[in-house]
Amino acid sequence: MEIYYTNKVQGRTGTVAAWSKAPGYPALLAVALSPNAIGIYNQEGKSLEPTIKNVRGSECSRLAWHPIQNLLAIVWKDGAVSFWNADDRHLEEDSKIHRTVISMIAWNASGERLATGDDNGRISFWKTDRQMRPIHVVSYDEAGCKIKQLVMGPTEAPADNTGLTVTTAYYTANSEGKSLIKWANDQGYSGAVQEMTEEVHTLIYYAEKEQLLVVSASCTLSVLGKDDQTGNWVALSKMKFATGTGGGSFWAAVATSPDGLGIIATTTDAVTNMQEAGGCVVWAGNHTLASASEKDSMVRMFNFDTEDNYVLPLTMPDAAANGAVSRVTCLASDDSTATEHPAVGVNNKALSMEWGCGPRLMTVVCADAVNICRKTQLSHKCRDGYVVIQAAVDQVMVESIDADPQRPPGKLQTEMQIMGLDVSKGVLLVWSGSRAETYKVTDKNEVEVASSFETTSKSLAIINDSIFRTADHRIEVVNHTGVVKQTLSFDDAQGSPVLLDLNKDFLAALTDRNIVRVFKVAGRDAKPHAGPGAILPASHSHLKVDCIRVNGVGTMVAALATSPDAAREPTLFVYFSELSTPLVYDFSKDAKLPQVICWDVLEPKLLGVQTMVVSREDDCLDDPTAAAGGTTGPVLEMAALFVSGDNGILLQEYQHLSPGTSGVVGLAAPFLLLHKKSAVAPAGGAAPFTSNVTRLLMQGFAGMQDADAPTKRALLDFSYNLAMGNMDEAFRSVKAIKSVHVWENMAHLCIKNKRLDVAEHCLGNMQHARGARALREAKGIEELDARVAAVAVHLGMLEDAKKLYIAADRYDLLNHLLCACGQWDRALEVAEKHDRIHLKSTHYTYAQAEHACHTQHPLDPLHTDCLACLVPSHRPRWAHFLESHGQLPRALECYEKAGDSLSVVRIHCHSRDFAAAEEEVVRSGDMATAFHLARQYESQDRIQEAIRYYTASKRYSHGVRLAKLHQLDSDLMNLALKSTPVVMVDTADYLHERGHYDKAATLYMKGGKLKKAVEMCFSANLFDVLTHITDDLKSEQNPELYVRCAEFFMTHGHNDKAVKMLIAAGQYSRALELCVEHDVTISEDMAESMTPDKAAMPAEERNLVLDRIAKVCKRQGSFQLAAKKGGDTEKIVFFAGVSRQKEIYLMAANYLQTLDWHADPEVLKNITTFYTKAQAYDSLAAFYEACAQIEIDEYRDYEKALQAMREACKQLGKSKSEGREARLASLSSRIGLTESFVRARVLNTSGAHGEALALCNELLNTIPTDGQDHDAGIRVGDVFALMVEHWWEARNPMEAYKLIEAMRRREIIISPYLDQRMVEDIYRALGLEVSEERRPAALVSPKALGLEVPEERRPAARVSPHGQRDDDDTAENDFVEEEVPESPRGYSRG
């Protein structure tokens, strides 16, 4: 597992930092220091150079490293441009061109030109001379503008072939909320690209297609490109970025790793200038754009080449819980998948991020510090019976693997960032690069502090009381307090030691010149044991070794290396003390990448290498993980290799590591020690715990985990000699072994090594007749892999056989094997793709297997079992056969494979294994299995268990029978309620006899014996049960029953329940009398129940009932109900004023809105008064908006509507609701559009027709064609009508006709807006016929529909050409100030 280490740059850092990325140079970080300096740092945050100071005291504005050379460009806030050469530490400067803050800086791809832009609108091009000095080329001035965006475009040769190149830059000149995108080159030419109506958020050059990507402040992406014919820049497409609805904040940066994956980093709660516009947009790879929003918890990707889009979700942890203000999450993305890396926490809000020269290096700039993040492998160690695993930057887990019984792991939490660790005989050593600490591990895995000392060594090792640490050209041996006891020197030819590894009594040291030396450290002093020697061959000398491991006898040292760009090499290197050149094994031929190496603790020649699968075959037939569903994460495998001086490195086998494994931490044959959590239940009653180490048996030792040490040793020797090809020694090592399991394991090894000659000997010792016969018959097969596969099938190695058949291109034999295994889908797939000659025969065989019925014969048990396992459809019949012959264990196994749960439970019950039967019932969830188990428990007189499983099988009648028989009354009620009505009534009779009247009455009611249930309630005074019974009835079914129940309740003083019974019986008057007489409070539900339906009685009679209810409610003080039921407007207003409750104010206002408040100013005044007193500003604003809409829809009076909308905006400003800002923004937009339209009408009336038409056109362009009128605030048809009427009066029917057609294209119905005769006159003037589909529908008279329109609400008979009403019915003051406390200005119509 890898994690990012964080180092803070010391000093007063600014907010500007940049990584050097020139190939062939070490990565350097330039950081702006306060107040006027630049610091240079390495990857660990250590200052490398004296600070670069500005003698004029100006602060740094921007930094940019040359893309090819080790040159840093610095721009200052006073306008100076400086070039700092990192090779000779020389600074050159030019301060004549810019006179203000330089806000933008960018190099072109070749580094030949540098472009700068300042806040005064000046763009400048620069180049370098031989002394790396800044040379000004050309400048451009954009007066009154600021340069906010600047990107370098292409560098091209001119058409005249003069040999010079032309570099183009694109930039935005911002002024008054608008942006002008322009281009300029280094030859003195410039031009406009596009004018944007809003500020540009991001400007990106799309080099592959020579296009510009422009992201505006409203998150709209515009793709600009050149027209092929005219050569002018045009908008090719537009799209809107989704910004989500969340609340987190994000910032994104992208780098490209060596394997071509895009890396996206995001931070939560980040505050950047870019996020003020809504998000960040960056390149994430070829043709792929990534966007992140402050309101979204995901990164959105869009591929411009394939037009695919997808999202990469982020798991953003709770930063506050970990003490971090911001957290950085890294994703490795490939197409639509992403692998999320561990997060990095920083202690302040992140302002910006930048990747270094690769995905393993990153910087996060905060307000108080610059953080360098380096990706590093977490450490682990397995030595002397202990496994130590680094779980986090500052956390270590310690576990003893030899302890018996096993104990819970210990945990060490330090205050330093751990760079490495080691353990020796219960002493733990950790170090951070500046300090080392030792801890004592007790028998209970508790970690206790022992000692500490300061050290700058990056690699240490410990044995007993000695600690070895690297230094300049030496290794120092110190005690636990850091006192030097011995020094091991290295000469200049060997270099300085940088890596140490200690195994048993031997210490391996690697120098910075890739020279390895081995020391024996068992005695008092360390002594040379092997070396010096090169660990890398000459052809790989450019690599950097980052991991070494020495074996237990000090003769071999294994190593892994990385390339100069920090990518892992797929090659394993082994230094052998007896050879002059190192041994090499290349994993790339197996499409794997080595990650971790470890030697076996006993066998010094056995080496384990953890690998990761980097590619797969298209056909997944040979991949067991893919067949099982596969995993989304990396596929890990363990390669077992034998290392010999004569034969080199030989691969024994690959073993797949189960999902959930973080990695391999050790090798102790026959087990692999994995970093994987597992539950441990220790013996002796100790509490269970979770172990971080899991033992996995190696494939070559299957079934041998309990074998004695000599047998394991013999099997190891056999494996080694078999790999070396030494057959005599291989047979000699296992000559004395008689175990069939051992010979079977050896036969498996022979299959993996393709040694059929040895496999034949193993099969003979196994007495495996079928395997031996298959081996003899396979000799006629030409391909070796196919011959080995034929034998592997009979050894049960089916997956290996499939791989071998594929490797031999014998898809015909693979097809035959898949058919025999019953894997018909895969068999048909193979036949379809690779073995079409047998396609028809495969279909025929499949049909036979599915539909033919074969007769079972009592064959050889072993052979028949094999057939039953291979053909799933035969398993149930074979299980019946085995059961009939008394072979219950084998039958049980076959039933389990067939999924026959009932038969499994039946056999468990027959064997008296009821616990296993219960587990199977729970697992399967089959009711038949539960019923069978219940019958068995009943026969065993285990009544409680029988009832429980009868209930689980939903056979409630059987449970009721047992409960009655054994007088289990506590279970009887629940069972009866779930059963049939007949059983309920029978159970009720039983409970009645036993005196349980309440339960009996309930069951009588549920069983349909309602009368009997009620009589029992009367006789036993069961008031609650009677209430429950009547609640489940409907009044129209039996009103007489409700009356009887009411009389019963009144007789016993339960008047409240009696009232409910009378209401249910429909006797409302009597119920009200009872309420008044006995002071029974009327609830809202009771009032609703007493309210008659409008169709049930005449209106006058119904009103009398409501009035009576209201009077009773008023007498009881329930003014809200009284107002609701009274129906009298004056009384409602009076009740609302008397109550002085917010809820009643709201209810009264809502009720008054249902009246004709348009014609009654007093009602309108009360509405506004009640809403104001209730402080319901949202409702009052909505009411004013409704008034505005009515003015527009019914009267086309936009002046009054505008006044109403402004009043709504005023009231909405007082609201504190969550959606207030959005509603205010929407309402303000509608007010703006309405004001524009009102102004257009005024201009048209005053004779300024040109300005009026321009405003109308602007409105039409602003309102979307698919937008709704209520969203815009004005009716689009009114805008068109104003323009059509103007052109008709101006005697220009053609323009009027065009506008009418535009209305039709927008699907606007013409008749409500234009006079029908005027439309016909326009068409007639142009010589056009008005067809039926073009003829506007005649307006339908309200009287024709039987509607009466009040005189004061009738619109004018004709609308004037300017949209004004001809009648003079407008009031001078539409909004009148009401003399009501806290009341807003009222609104009423004249």
Side-chain angles (χ1 to χ4, degrees), residues 391 394-399 408-414 428 444-448 692:
D394 55 356
Q395 188 181 109
V396 175
M397 307 300 293
V398 184
E399 194 162 345
K411 179 180 178 181
L412 170 62
Q413 186 74 37
T414 68
L428 172 63
K444 296 182 179 181
N445 287 338
E446 297 176 351
V447 183
E448 301 174 351
N692 295 297

mmCIF file of all heavy atoms in Angstrom, residues 391 394-399 408-414 428 444-448 692:
data_model
loop_
_atom_site.group_PDB
_atom_site.id
_atom_site.type_symbol
_atom_site.label_atom_id
_atom_site.label_comp_id
_atom_site.label_asym_id
_atom_site.label_seq_id
_atom_site.Cartn_x
_atom_site.Cartn_y
_atom_site.Cartn_z
ATOM 1 N N ALA A 391 0.584 1.037 9.371
ATOM 2 C CA ALA A 391 -0.817 1.208 8.992
ATOM 3 C C ALA A 391 -1.121 2.613 8.502
ATOM 4 O O ALA A 391 -2.077 2.819 7.760
ATOM 5 C CB ALA A 391 -1.721 0.871 10.172
ATOM 6 N N ASP A 394 1.832 7.674 10.801
ATOM 7 C CA ASP A 394 2.330 7.714 12.164
ATOM 8 C C ASP A 394 1.839 6.548 13.004
ATOM 9 O O ASP A 394 1.767 6.648 14.218
ATOM 10 C CB ASP A 394 1.900 9.026 12.828
ATOM 11 C CG ASP A 394 0.389 9.230 12.757
ATOM 12 O OD1 ASP A 394 -0.294 8.399 12.133
ATOM 13 O OD2 ASP A 394 -0.097 10.222 13.319
ATOM 14 N N GLN A 395 1.494 5.424 12.377
ATOM 15 C CA GLN A 395 0.908 4.308 13.114
ATOM 16 C C GLN A 395 1.508 2.987 12.660
ATOM 17 O O GLN A 395 1.710 2.765 11.455
ATOM 18 C CB GLN A 395 -0.608 4.288 12.909
ATOM 19 C CG GLN A 395 -1.346 3.293 13.769
ATOM 20 C CD GLN A 395 -2.837 3.324 13.493
ATOM 21 O OE1 GLN A 395 -3.392 2.400 12.906
ATOM 22 N NE2 GLN A 395 -3.473 4.410 13.910
ATOM 23 N N VAL A 396 1.825 2.099 13.629
ATOM 24 C CA VAL A 396 2.438 0.795 13.359
ATOM 25 C C VAL A 396 1.663 -0.256 14.128
ATOM 26 O O VAL A 396 1.287 -0.045 15.290
ATOM 27 C CB VAL A 396 3.928 0.782 13.772
ATOM 28 C CG1 VAL A 396 4.507 -0.615 13.608
ATOM 29 C CG2 VAL A 396 4.720 1.769 12.945
ATOM 30 N N MET A 397 1.432 -1.411 13.487
ATOM 31 C CA MET A 397 0.787 -2.554 14.124
ATOM 32 C C MET A 397 1.824 -3.652 14.309
ATOM 33 O O MET A 397 2.577 -3.973 13.377
ATOM 34 C CB MET A 397 -0.381 -3.064 13.287
ATOM 35 C CG MET A 397 -1.405 -2.001 12.908
ATOM 36 S SD MET A 397 -2.195 -1.210 14.316
ATOM 37 C CE MET A 397 -3.115 -2.593 14.978
ATOM 38 N N VAL A 398 1.885 -4.244 15.510
ATOM 39 C CA VAL A 398 2.865 -5.278 15.854
ATOM 40 C C VAL A 398 2.109 -6.537 16.230
ATOM 41 O O VAL A 398 1.141 -6.487 16.992
ATOM 42 C CB VAL A 398 3.762 -4.820 17.017
ATOM 43 C CG1 VAL A 398 4.833 -5.869 17.295
ATOM 44 C CG2 VAL A 398 4.398 -3.479 16.716
ATOM 45 N N GLU A 399 2.574 -7.677 15.695
ATOM 46 C CA GLU A 399 1.883 -8.939 15.954
ATOM 47 C C GLU A 399 2.898 -10.071 16.012
ATOM 48 O O GLU A 399 3.804 -10.161 15.171
ATOM 49 C CB GLU A 399 0.854 -9.199 14.855
ATOM 50 C CG GLU A 399 -0.134 -10.280 15.200
ATOM 51 C CD GLU A 399 -1.374 -10.232 14.327
ATOM 52 O OE1 GLU A 399 -1.583 -9.195 13.651
ATOM 53 O OE2 GLU A 399 -2.125 -11.216 14.329
ATOM 54 N N PRO A 408 -3.860 -10.601 20.622
ATOM 55 C CA PRO A 408 -4.250 -9.446 19.790
ATOM 56 C C PRO A 408 -3.031 -8.618 19.413
ATOM 57 O O PRO A 408 -2.062 -8.530 20.169
ATOM 58 C CB PRO A 408 -5.212 -8.660 20.708
ATOM 59 C CG PRO A 408 -5.681 -9.656 21.718
ATOM 60 C CD PRO A 408 -4.549 -10.614 21.918
ATOM 61 N N PRO A 409 -3.073 -7.978 18.246
ATOM 62 C CA PRO A 409 -1.933 -7.167 17.808
ATOM 63 C C PRO A 409 -1.778 -5.919 18.660
ATOM 64 O O PRO A 409 -2.750 -5.384 19.192
ATOM 65 C CB PRO A 409 -2.274 -6.816 16.358
ATOM 66 C CG PRO A 409 -3.752 -6.904 16.295
ATOM 67 C CD PRO A 409 -4.147 -7.990 17.249
ATOM 68 N N GLY A 410 -0.514 -5.468 18.790
ATOM 69 C CA GLY A 410 -0.240 -4.229 19.485
ATOM 70 C C GLY A 410 -0.249 -3.059 18.523
ATOM 71 O O GLY A 410 -0.065 -3.222 17.313
ATOM 72 N N LYS A 411 -0.452 -1.865 19.065
ATOM 73 C CA LYS A 411 -0.556 -0.665 18.237
ATOM 74 C C LYS A 411 0.375 0.405 18.776
ATOM 75 O O LYS A 411 0.409 0.668 19.971
ATOM 76 C CB LYS A 411 -1.995 -0.157 18.228
ATOM 77 C CG LYS A 411 -2.212 1.098 17.405
ATOM 78 C CD LYS A 411 -3.672 1.524 17.451
ATOM 79 C CE LYS A 411 -3.917 2.799 16.675
ATOM 80 N NZ LYS A 411 -5.322 3.225 16.740
ATOM 81 N N LEU A 412 1.147 1.004 17.867
ATOM 82 C CA LEU A 412 2.049 2.091 18.217
ATOM 83 C C LEU A 412 1.620 3.346 17.465
ATOM 84 O O LEU A 412 1.553 3.340 16.233
ATOM 85 C CB LEU A 412 3.497 1.735 17.855
ATOM 86 C CG LEU A 412 4.515 2.888 17.954
ATOM 87 C CD1 LEU A 412 4.613 3.390 19.382
ATOM 88 C CD2 LEU A 412 5.872 2.450 17.427
ATOM 89 N N GLN A 413 1.338 4.405 18.226
ATOM 90 C CA GLN A 413 0.968 5.695 17.652
ATOM 91 C C GLN A 413 2.078 6.691 17.983
ATOM 92 O O GLN A 413 2.338 6.973 19.152
ATOM 93 C CB GLN A 413 -0.363 6.181 18.215
ATOM 94 C CG GLN A 413 -0.896 7.432 17.566
ATOM 95 C CD GLN A 413 -1.460 7.158 16.171
ATOM 96 O OE1 GLN A 413 -2.062 6.126 15.929
ATOM 97 N NE2 GLN A 413 -1.233 8.087 15.255
ATOM 98 N N THR A 414 2.761 7.195 16.964
ATOM 99 C CA THR A 414 3.877 8.099 17.176
ATOM 100 C C THR A 414 3.497 9.512 16.778
ATOM 101 O O THR A 414 2.442 9.754 16.185
ATOM 102 C CB THR A 414 5.105 7.649 16.362
ATOM 103 O OG1 THR A 414 4.828 7.830 14.974
ATOM 104 C CG2 THR A 414 5.420 6.196 16.619
ATOM 105 N N LEU A 428 11.395 -3.036 18.645
ATOM 106 C CA LEU A 428 10.901 -2.361 17.445
ATOM 107 C C LEU A 428 11.669 -1.059 17.246
ATOM 108 O O LEU A 428 11.833 -0.282 18.190
ATOM 109 C CB LEU A 428 9.399 -2.077 17.574
ATOM 110 C CG LEU A 428 8.745 -1.214 16.494
ATOM 111 C CD1 LEU A 428 8.824 -1.896 15.144
ATOM 112 C CD2 LEU A 428 7.295 -0.917 16.850
ATOM 113 N N LYS A 444 2.474 -9.753 25.533
ATOM 114 C CA LYS A 444 1.075 -9.489 25.185
ATOM 115 C C LYS A 444 0.962 -8.525 24.002
ATOM 116 O O LYS A 444 -0.098 -7.955 23.759
ATOM 117 C CB LYS A 444 0.338 -8.911 26.389
ATOM 118 C CG LYS A 444 0.246 -9.888 27.556
ATOM 119 C CD LYS A 444 -0.542 -9.265 28.699
ATOM 120 C CE LYS A 444 -0.669 -10.227 29.867
ATOM 121 N NZ LYS A 444 -1.450 -9.645 30.985
ATOM 122 N N ASN A 445 2.040 -8.327 23.266
ATOM 123 C CA ASN A 445 2.088 -7.427 22.107
ATOM 124 C C ASN A 445 1.865 -5.969 22.501
ATOM 125 O O ASN A 445 1.483 -5.152 21.663
ATOM 126 C CB ASN A 445 1.051 -7.830 21.043
ATOM 127 C CG ASN A 445 1.447 -9.091 20.311
ATOM 128 O OD1 ASN A 445 2.622 -9.456 20.276
ATOM 129 N ND2 ASN A 445 0.472 -9.783 19.745
ATOM 130 N N GLU A 446 2.109 -5.631 23.746
ATOM 131 C CA GLU A 446 2.049 -4.246 24.155
ATOM 132 C C GLU A 446 3.366 -3.554 23.821
ATOM 133 O O GLU A 446 4.438 -4.144 23.974
ATOM 134 C CB GLU A 446 1.753 -4.139 25.657
ATOM 135 C CG GLU A 446 0.387 -4.707 26.049
ATOM 136 C CD GLU A 446 0.179 -4.677 27.551
ATOM 137 O OE1 GLU A 446 1.170 -4.381 28.259
ATOM 138 O OE2 GLU A 446 -0.946 -4.946 27.994
ATOM 139 N N VAL A 447 3.300 -2.314 23.357
ATOM 140 C CA VAL A 447 4.476 -1.573 22.904
ATOM 141 C C VAL A 447 4.833 -0.532 23.956
ATOM 142 O O VAL A 447 4.007 0.322 24.302
ATOM 143 C CB VAL A 447 4.210 -0.905 21.539
ATOM 144 C CG1 VAL A 447 5.468 -0.208 21.046
ATOM 145 C CG2 VAL A 447 3.754 -1.937 20.524
ATOM 146 N N GLU A 448 6.074 -0.618 24.465
ATOM 147 C CA GLU A 448 6.544 0.291 25.495
ATOM 148 C C GLU A 448 7.768 1.050 24.996
ATOM 149 O O GLU A 448 8.640 0.473 24.335
ATOM 150 C CB GLU A 448 6.893 -0.473 26.771
ATOM 151 C CG GLU A 448 5.707 -1.259 27.349
ATOM 152 C CD GLU A 448 6.125 -2.128 28.529
ATOM 153 O OE1 GLU A 448 7.363 -2.232 28.750
ATOM 154 O OE2 GLU A 448 5.241 -2.700 29.192
ATOM 155 N N ASN A 692 -4.136 -8.754 11.845
ATOM 156 C CA ASN A 692 -3.754 -8.112 10.585
ATOM 157 C C ASN A 692 -2.983 -9.048 9.667
ATOM 158 O O ASN A 692 -2.669 -8.673 8.543
ATOM 159 C CB ASN A 692 -2.896 -6.872 10.878
ATOM 160 C CG ASN A 692 -3.667 -5.799 11.605
ATOM 161 O OD1 ASN A 692 -4.623 -5.265 11.081
ATOM 162 N ND2 ASN A 692 -3.272 -5.486 12.824
#
